Amino acid sequence: MLLNELLKPHRHWLYLSWSAGLGAGLATVGLAGSIAWLVHRAVFDPGATSVWPWLGLALVAVIARHALQTLRDWAGQHLAYRVRRDLRQRMLATAARIGPVHLAHRGHSGAWASRYQEQVDALAGYYARFLPTLGLALAVPLVLLAAAFTQDWIAGLLLLFSAPLIPVFMALIGMGSQQIHEMQQDQQNRLAGHFLDRIRNLDLLRRSLALDAATDEVAIATEGYRRLSMRVLRVAFLSSAVMEFFSAVAIGLVAIYVGFSLLGFLEFGPAGQMTLFSGLFVLLLAPEYFQPLRLFAQSYHDRAGAVAAAASLAPLFDERTTAAGVPARMPVIPAEFLLLLDTVSVRYDPDGPAALDSLTLQVTAGEHVAIVGPSGSGKSTLLALCAGFVSPSTGSIALADPARSFAWIGQRAHLFHGNLRDNLLLGTADNTPDDLLIGALNSAGLPVTDPTLPLGLDTPIGEGNRGLSGGQAQRVALARALLSGSRLWLLDEPTSALDPETENDLLQRVLEHARERAVTILLATHHAAVHARLDRMIRLDHGRLVADEHV
Amino acid sequence: MADSWPTNMSDWDFLRQVFRGSRVWTGSAYLLLALTWIAGIALLALSGWFITASALAGAGFLLGLELFTPSAGIRAAAILRTLSRYGERVIGHEAVLRVLARLRARSFASISRLPVSAQRQLRSGDLQHRLTTDIDTLDAIPLRITGPIVAATLAALAATGLTLWLAPWPATALLLTTAGLTLSASLLAARVGRARGRALVEQRSRQRVALLDFFGGLADLIAYRRVDAERSRLEALEYEQATAALFQERVSLVADQAVQGMVALTTLAMLWLALHWHAHGVIDAPVAVLLTLMTLGLNEALSTLPGAFWRTGESLQAATRLRALGVDPSTTPRPRTRVSHSKVAEPPAPVSGFRVSNLAIGFAGNRPLLSGLNFLLEPGQPLVLHGGSGLGKSTLLETLAGERVPLSGSIHLTGRSITELPEPLLYRTVGYLPQETRLLDDSVARNLRLGQPELSDVMLWNALEKVDLAHALRSEGSGLDYPVGETGRRLSGGQARRMALAWLLLRATPVVLLDEPFSGLDHNTEQRILARIRPWLEARCAAIVTHAPERLPREWPRLDLTGNAR
């Protein structure tokens, strides 16, 4: 299980937390004993010896207790901190390992970001509070119970019998809690997604005169989320109320038992020998006896939240899917070929249909290949395969050296938050001079003097490419590809989201620059106008190669 | 409301406004919390008193000890404590969550009412963070800060009242000192935590943006071999963020234990004082024990304070970020008086003409992209606007739609300038299909019914038929319920475009502005759709921007914009 697996390398922090908590429990016994003794002696034996040694002992006990409790919580928090950092590193590593195609199968980028931030944080309480209190809820009450038994076994039994009832009741209450937690988390994600979608489409909503309706919808969604959150909280509150109730009743019972024994109303067992010291000592221990259990009850819903989060995170780390990385270089790749596919099949789901089915293909350097076919025929998969984003289930793929670095342009270029310069530098060395960047932009058809780029290379680019039109974003991506000097360009419907005019212009530039630089192109498209301009066309259908024509 | 709100209002004022509507409920929760703590103190103090008195009576030092009242008091305190605790939790959270839910809806409403230019500058990921996480953070104010302060003050007052009555003044002084020190320690923790808490909120938001870039741009990062660099940058961000958060937690736990330790030391001091007074016959033994245990019981109330205070920074920063959106903080539920625009109200006045005179358009502060534009849109004569790439055709259409201010000149609709039209009337009159297709992550039906919930299924199918989508949707199976996906990704580019066109057909505005309506469609589909919507188009004032005028009916007038370019 993910939660245990994450704990393993940092277990020692948990042990430290437990030891400190146990030490604090022992200090509590010392404190209660010295207070009880001071009172007892003052009432029944005033002035026999100095109060200072006992007061001093109490003082030491107080300091030790709170120093150790600090250590207990410190260690717990450190554990949670280390575990979360590990997990976040693992998420990034997994994303890098499985590549963009498998990543998208496991949720869109907003969902991944939310997992990285919120869902990982949902594990914190489990390590910082639940695990430490889990051990201490057993050990500390046992120590205090033993101390109580040394004084009066009936009082000890009162405490002993009141404690086990608590977990029973809590289990009854907590049964449904995990399920509600999962629902709440699901709702939380959905609410966040809903907000994002409506915010992105404010323009559309305004034009449709639907802003008020959208606001009402948001109100309904957020109200649903509140109701579910309240259900989660009510369960948590009820379990801690049960806990409170038993501890309060038990303390009251102990007080009354001790009082009546001291009055001499109870003659059986040890009750007859009860002294003020032993009575007060047991009374002072009683609330401390329940304290760890109370902390445990409070942290119980930390556990439910963490289990729900771990359940949704664990499948992300499924080791079976992995992108190939840049494909292995075949030892004997004939010099004229750039790319060789030998009966390659790709399946996303081992039992599902093949996205690519026994495909054999050779591409020579400098060729411009259009990949056509209906949606779902495997065009994108073929490109992802060449990029190393997915690996072949059977068969083999080999790339010649120049193809091992490639440029990628998708349907909608992803521009990074920052300025235009940062986005161009992504494809090349960080110290590339500005005039080279400007030159590349010009070649891509986006002169830096364009009025929509008021600050030139320093023009900020917002999230979602804000500030640039779709065509301009694709041009930036082309400039990036030009700057990268890659000899292989993988283009996944690079112009399909553009108006025909921009499409035409962009395509012209792509082909012109590719020809100049002897770049090999693999371009997926469903436009006849596009593939007519390339020198070779391969047609896919249901993952199979059905035509391969040189123009 | 949002606009009239003074901008110099502080974050605290903002928060006060937010929670004002729930004062009765949160106030009750505070009182119940105080009651919980007082009952806890009473339980301990009364038990100590009872035991000591019993011991004295048992040994014969005390005669006539009345048993019923103390033991009933002990039981009552035990039950009261549980009930008031549960009540406090449920009432407090219920009230706060209601307020926050309303605030969320209101924030969205405020954002939706921002001017178009301000809206377009917002980053949606950041905005989403504000509406979800930032608003969640505000619950700390009543639940962890105000509530505990009020309740701890009441509990401390109850305790000092008792010491004033039962013991000489130093006992009261001791308790007041402890309460004062706790408050100072908490304020100190708050000071340390506030700036960092604010920074933490900003760091999280920056991290969010970086994460969206990493997961969204992974293909480019891998292609250009920047994955490792980007990963280490994210790990550095995470390290910075996590260590800052850890520091906050440590300040909180150290302050927490320091206060608890201080209360324990105060208990010892009280014990010493009480025993001293007992030895001198000032107070009797049961009262001495009562004073000691009461002091011990204060621990529960006082120890919550420091941990609460350091959270103020996060809540205040969240408030700052919400204020920056111009969110109206008053969350008092109020009857809905606004008229919903979404219902089809009276149809817009018949439009006889859409006149453009001497218009210049472009970006403010730059030379105009196009100038000297004069034309009239009339029913029956759709105007085809064309010209080379990058002339500003789309900017022109955006200006005609009233979404961009003209640099000079005028646009008149049946004699009224469109800049003077109120928004509802403008959008009921002018239908605009921009170049970029936008769809909601919702079903086909909900997308088409956007703003017109009363449209029947038959009408939707009719429109889908016209744009040649009906067949594809019928054969897919789920029909109108088909979910189009985030940004319409479950449709092809051409299908998405046709959906947007169907939406426009259903709006049936007297003026129609189309920017490359058929992009992403093959020639045959384009001609088929054109033939079907032609009567519809010719019945209104229409302008169509295209790069390929030859594909549109020859009878339609054309305007080549090349001559109007700078």
Side-chain angles (χ1 to χ4, degrees):
Chain A
M1 188 171 127
L2 183 65
L3 289 172
N4 287 331
E5 196 184 312
L6 287 166
L7 172 66
K8 226 169 228 170
H10 306 297
R11 263 176 315 196
H12 49 279
W13 289 102
L14 182 58
Y15 299 152
L16 180 62
S17 179
W18 281 347
S19 325
L22 200 59
L26 289 170
T28 302
V29 175
L31 180 63
S34 43
I35 291 178
W37 182 244
L38 276 165
V39 171
H40 179 88
R41 232 202 23 150
V43 173
F44 291 103
D45 198 8
T49 50
S50 162
V51 298
W52 293 113
W54 293 103
L55 216 48
L57 178 65
L59 204 65
V60 170
V62 165
I63 292 168
R65 180 172 125 114
H66 294 286
L68 286 168
Q69 283 182 358
T70 307
L71 184 61
R72 176 195 67 189
D73 297 348
W74 186 289
Q77 273 167 3
H78 202 85
L79 173 65
Y81 162 78
R82 296 296 286 267
V83 165
R84 277 179 292 165
R85 274 192 63 197
D86 274 10
L87 186 58
R88 289 191 169 126
Q89 278 178 7
R90 227 167 113 179
M91 281 183 81
L92 296 185
T94 304
R97 177 172 58 81
I98 65 178
V101 176
H102 292 296
L103 186 89
H105 281 224
R106 296 175 195 185
H108 58 88
S109 52
W112 275 89
S114 153
R115 285 170 189 145
Y116 185 94
Q117 290 191 313
E118 281 95 36
Q119 296 205 2
V120 172
D121 271 342
L123 303 184
Y126 179 80
Y127 295 101
R129 289 180 295 272
F130 178 77
L131 284 181
T133 51
L134 175 67
L136 293 173
L138 196 65
V140 172
L142 277 179
V143 169
L144 301 187
L145 205 58
F149 266 103
T150 61
Q151 296 306 311
D152 187 300
W153 60 264
I154 294 183
L157 282 182
L158 277 176
L159 292 179
L160 181 64
F161 286 129
S162 58
L165 289 175
I166 290 160
V168 173
F169 274 86
M170 271 179 21
L172 284 177
I173 293 166
M175 253 179 222
S177 93
Q178 187 170 326
Q179 197 194 351
I180 303 175
H181 256 286
E182 281 166 16
M183 272 164 64
Q184 190 212 12
Q185 236 160 39
D186 188 49
Q187 184 91 355
Q188 190 182 359
N189 288 346
R190 243 183 302 160
L191 184 70
H194 184 87
F195 275 135
L196 194 61
D197 185 64
R198 296 312 188 253
I199 292 166
R200 277 180 184 158
N201 287 309
L202 282 173
D203 276 349
L204 173 64
L205 293 170
R206 197 181 44 253
R207 285 181 200 126
S208 309
L209 291 172
L211 281 174
D212 286 350
T215 307
D216 292 347
E217 248 182 49
V218 163
I220 291 167
T222 182
E223 180 63 17
Y225 174 60
R226 175 193 73 79
R227 253 190 242 125
L228 212 59
S229 306
M230 212 45 223
R231 272 175 71 188
V232 172
L233 288 174
R234 256 194 230 112
V235 169
F237 297 158
L238 197 61
S239 64
S240 67
V242 167
M243 182 72 232
E244 293 274 358
F245 180 72
F246 277 98
S247 72
V249 166
I251 294 168
L253 272 180
V254 168
I256 291 167
Y257 162 75
V258 168
F260 280 40
S261 306
L262 288 172
L263 279 169
F265 291 0
L266 305 174
E267 291 296 340
F268 49 88
Q273 286 90 55
M274 173 82 73
T275 63
L276 179 57
F277 166 72
S278 53
L280 203 54
F281 179 59
V282 173
L283 181 70
L284 284 171
L285 287 184
E288 299 294 339
Y289 172 77
F290 288 102
Q291 186 59 18
L293 293 169
R294 191 182 295 166
L295 288 177
F296 176 70
Q298 280 171 9
S299 65
Y300 195 76
H301 79 279
D302 284 330
R303 180 188 168 275
V307 169
S312 78
L313 288 173
L316 302 182
F317 302 114
D318 185 358
E319 295 287 333
R320 277 172 304 170
T321 46
T322 192
V326 180
R329 188 163 64 94
M330 206 181 260
V332 277
I333 181 161
E336 70 272 27
F337 291 125
L338 189 76
L339 185 72
L340 284 179
L341 271 67
D342 184 15
T343 51
V344 169
S345 295
V346 174
R347 280 168 209 279
Y348 290 114
D349 172 4
D351 310 314
L356 278 184
D357 197 355
S358 319
L359 191 75
T360 298
L361 183 70
Q362 289 113 21
V363 177
T364 35
E367 251 186 320
H368 296 174
V369 186
I371 307 165
V372 301
S375 299
S377 58
K379 301 191 297 287
S380 297
T381 303
L382 176 55
L383 287 178
L385 183 74
C386 298
F389 297 160
V390 296
S391 52
S393 312
T394 56
S396 68
I397 171 168
L399 298 179
D401 263 334
R404 293 163 69 75
S405 120
F406 64 94
W408 176 270
I409 303 180
Q411 217 177 92
R412 280 163 210 260
H414 183 93
L415 298 190
F416 292 76
H417 185 70
N419 59 29
L420 187 54
R421 183 183 291 104
D422 300 335
N423 270 287
L424 293 170
L425 288 178
L426 187 80
T428 178
D430 283 337
N431 56 5
T432 310
D434 278 1
D435 30 322
L436 275 182
L437 304 183
I438 292 170
L441 277 178
N442 268 329
S443 311
L446 183 65
V448 80
T449 50
D450 192 282
T452 54
L453 305 176
L455 301 177
L457 289 177
D458 293 312
T459 304
I461 289 175
E463 174 219 27
N465 305 353
R466 202 155 298 223
L468 295 184
S469 71
Q472 287 176 319
Q474 296 303 89
R475 290 182 196 280
V476 175
L478 173 60
R480 207 144 71 181
L482 289 172
L483 287 164
S484 72
S486 305
R487 307 296 295 280
L488 173 63
W489 291 359
L490 301 172
L491 312 174
D492 191 4
E493 309 210 20
T495 57
S496 67
L498 304 180
D499 63 276
E501 190 184 351
T502 315
E503 168 169 41
N504 195 25
D505 180 70
L506 194 70
L507 196 65
Q508 175 124 22
R509 289 172 190 275
V510 165
L511 295 177
E512 190 183 301
H513 292 295
R515 216 151 271 146
E516 265 170 31
R517 292 155 209 241
V519 167
T520 311
I521 288 182
L522 266 74
L523 184 149
T525 181
H526 55 257
H527 274 194
V530 175
H531 64 73
R533 298 168 63 168
L534 275 65
D535 6 297
R536 180 177 170 193
M537 183 196 78
I538 61 174
R539 184 178 293 281
L540 297 178
D541 193 22
H542 291 97
R544 288 180 162 276
L545 183 70
V546 292
D548 185 349
E549 301 159 10
H550 289 262
V551 180
Chain B
M1 278 301 286
D3 315 358
S4 64
W5 200 260
T7 45
N8 58 357
M9 176 180 62
S10 78
D11 294 335
W12 281 116
D13 290 336
F14 178 84
L15 291 170
R16 227 184 326 244
Q17 283 288 115
V18 166
F19 290 107
R20 191 154 67 177
S22 65
R23 248 187 292 185
V24 174
W25 291 105
T26 44
S28 321
Y30 299 167
L31 287 182
L32 284 173
L33 181 61
L35 199 61
T36 308
W37 286 342
I38 291 171
I41 294 170
L43 182 63
L44 259 180
L46 210 53
S47 306
W49 182 88
F50 177 63
I51 286 179
T52 318
S54 303
L56 288 176
F61 293 137
L62 185 73
L63 295 174
L65 175 66
E66 201 254 318
L67 290 177
F68 179 73
T69 317
S71 56
I74 290 173
R75 269 171 300 169
I79 291 168
L80 188 64
R81 188 181 148 73
T82 313
L83 290 181
S84 58
R85 175 56 121 195
Y86 182 69
E88 174 263 316
R89 292 269 172 98
V90 171
I91 292 174
H93 280 81
E94 188 78 54
V96 168
L97 291 188
R98 271 175 201 274
V99 166
L100 297 186
R102 280 200 292 270
L103 183 64
R104 248 187 270 276
R106 239 161 213 287
S107 308
F108 183 83
S110 300
I111 294 165
S112 73
R113 268 183 246 123
L114 285 177
V116 181
S117 54
Q119 270 176 9
R120 290 189 182 160
Q121 269 165 16
L122 295 167
R123 281 181 286 127
S124 45
D126 177 58
L127 215 49
Q128 175 206 26
H129 199 255
R130 292 188 205 205
L131 286 181
T132 52
T133 318
D134 279 357
I135 289 184
D136 280 339
T137 313
L138 298 185
D139 73 352
I141 298 290
L143 294 177
R144 292 162 180 263
I145 299 171
T146 323
I149 291 174
V150 171
T153 309
L154 288 177
L157 281 180
T160 46
L162 202 63
T163 52
L164 263 180
W165 177 46
L166 288 175
W169 65 267
T172 313
L174 182 65
L175 286 190
L176 286 177
T177 313
T178 305
L181 281 174
T182 305
L183 209 60
S184 332
S186 308
L187 286 174
L188 188 71
R191 268 184 78 90
V192 175
R194 189 178 305 173
R196 283 171 181 263
R198 280 182 179 268
L200 209 55
V201 174
E202 290 304 321
Q203 278 172 357
R204 285 200 141 244
S205 174
R206 272 207 305 279
Q207 189 185 40
R208 184 71 160 208
V209 173
L211 285 169
L212 288 173
D213 266 347
F214 179 79
F215 292 119
L218 193 56
D220 298 80
L221 291 173
I222 292 177
Y224 299 122
R225 299 169 185 227
R226 293 288 176 131
V227 178
D228 291 337
E230 195 58 18
R231 258 174 74 189
S232 17
R233 191 173 82 87
L234 277 174
E235 271 162 23
L237 272 180
E238 166 63 15
Y239 178 76
E240 181 192 22
Q241 213 266 123
T243 43
L246 187 66
F247 179 84
Q248 291 284 63
E249 283 162 6
R250 283 181 182 162
V251 169
S252 150
L253 85 89
V254 169
D256 199 40
Q257 293 295 334
V259 166
Q260 287 192 33
M262 191 166 64
V263 175
L265 291 177
T266 310
T267 307
L268 291 183
M270 186 65 91
L271 174 66
W272 181 75
L273 278 176
L275 293 182
H276 175 78
W277 288 325
H278 171 253
H280 292 80
V282 182
I283 56 175
D284 58 17
V287 171
V289 174
L290 179 142
L291 288 175
T292 311
L293 293 198
M294 185 186 73
T295 314
L296 191 64
L298 265 180
N299 180 44
E300 189 186 10
L302 295 181
S303 66
T304 53
L305 291 184
F309 267 100
W310 69 268
R311 289 180 183 274
T312 50
E314 279 176 54
S315 297
L316 286 174
Q317 187 61 18
T320 308
R321 285 158 51 86
L322 288 170
R323 279 203 305 133
L325 294 177
V327 170
D328 167 14
S330 58
T331 50
T332 338
R334 55 173 83 170
R336 291 188 43 161
T337 48
R338 66 192 162 136
V339 186
S340 177
H341 307 312
S342 52
K343 304 281 178 299
V344 174
E346 81 292 357
V351 171
S352 55
F354 186 97
R355 179 177 296 281
V356 170
S357 339
N358 207 16
L359 183 72
I361 57 125
F363 299 88
N366 278 298
R367 278 193 302 160
L369 291 170
L370 294 169
S371 56
L373 291 159
N374 289 291
F375 54 83
L376 176 68
L377 301 185
E378 280 176 312
Q381 300 273 302
L383 180 65
V384 177
L385 299 165
H386 62 104
S389 178
L391 275 179
K393 299 192 294 288
S394 296
T395 316
L396 170 62
L397 219 53
E398 208 182 334
T399 315
L400 295 183
E403 298 201 349
R404 178 178 287 285
V405 185
L407 292 181
S408 65
S410 65
I411 306 166
H412 277 89
L413 192 62
T414 329
R416 270 179 94 182
S417 164
I418 64 156
T419 48
E420 288 162 13
L421 289 184
E423 204 167 85
L425 185 57
L426 173 69
Y427 288 119
R428 268 205 301 275
T429 313
V430 180
Y432 169 42
L433 183 70
Q435 195 173 14
E436 196 154 344
T437 308
R438 292 266 177 200
L439 293 173
L440 295 184
D441 181 8
D442 228 319
S443 66
V444 168
R446 305 216 7 150
N447 267 290
L448 293 180
R449 285 207 176 99
L450 198 56
Q452 306 185 96
E454 71 287 347
L455 295 180
S456 68
D457 280 7
V458 178
M459 293 165 90
L460 303 192
W461 279 116
N462 234 330
L464 290 169
E465 202 72 59
K466 285 203 175 109
V467 297
D468 211 24
L469 264 183
H471 177 71
L473 273 175
R474 280 214 179 87
S475 57
E476 196 282 327
S478 34
L480 293 174
D481 294 328
Y482 182 76
V484 304
E486 200 187 350
T487 66
R489 70 168 53 145
R490 294 180 45 139
L491 300 174
S492 77
Q495 287 174 328
R497 194 68 190 156
R498 285 183 276 164
M499 275 277 297
L501 199 55
W503 162 84
L504 192 76
L505 290 176
L506 288 165
R507 293 198 65 72
T509 48
V511 178
V512 187
L513 306 170
L514 303 168
D515 195 347
E516 299 284 1
F518 307 114
S519 66
L521 300 184
D522 61 65
H523 187 74
N524 290 339
T525 316
E526 176 181 333
Q527 292 306 315
R528 216 164 35 236
I529 296 175
L530 187 59
R532 285 183 203 159
I533 67 170
R534 189 168 167 179
W536 183 88
L537 263 179
E538 291 184 339
R540 24 214 100 226
C541 299
I544 303 165
V545 158
T546 180
H547 71 288
E550 69 282 359
R551 291 204 221 154
L552 294 176
R554 242 171 297 141
E555 302 79 36
W556 291 358
R558 268 128 173 89
L559 177 60
D560 186 346
L561 295 170
T562 320
N564 301 89
R566 55 185 158 174

